[in-house]
Amino acid sequence: KVPSISFKVYAAEAGNYYFSFFSNTPNENSDSFHVVINGSYQFVTQCVGAKWTYAPTPVALAAGENILTIYARESGMLLRQFMFSKAQPNNLSGWQAASVLAEPDSEP
C-alpha cells in the first residue's frame, strides 16, 4: 500500500485553482508525489531542492468541501506547505501565512 495523506479543502466557489507547494527534496530520486482531488488523479509533482513549485495546470475544485489526497511516489520528500489560489502566484518564498476559509457551520 502506498503511503498517503488526505486534507479537506474548502473552496468558496467552484472553479479552477492553481496548486502550489513548498517541498524539500534531497535529490532527483526523492522528488515527487501524486496529487488526487475528490478521487480523481490530477498529476505527479517534481521538485528538487527546498523551494515553492507550481502545478503546470489549474485543477477544478467544487464549491464547498473537496478532498486533496497526496500519495508518496518516492521516499525522502518533505512537503512543508501547500496552497490553492485562483491566480497563479509568483515569487513565493519561505513560509506563507495561512489563508483559511471558515468551515461550514456544524454542531459541536
Side-chain angles (χ1 to χ4, degrees), residues 2 32-46 56-60 67-73:
V2 177
S32 58
F33 56 90
H34 298 278
V35 175
V36 174
I37 297 177
N38 298 327
S40 177
Y41 180 82
Q42 300 296 314
F43 48 80
V44 63
T45 66
Q46 290 187 311
T57 57
V59 296
I67 304 297
L68 164 67
T69 305
I70 295 173
Y71 289 92
R73 181 171 177 226

Side-chain angles (χ1 to χ4, degrees), residues 10 20 22 29 35-36 38 51 56 60 62 64 68 86 95-96 100 104:
Y10 294 88
S20 305
F22 188 99
N29 294 320
V35 175
V36 174
N38 298 327
K51 62 183 178 182
L68 164 67
K86 291 290 276 181
W95 192 257
Q96 300 296 302
V100 179

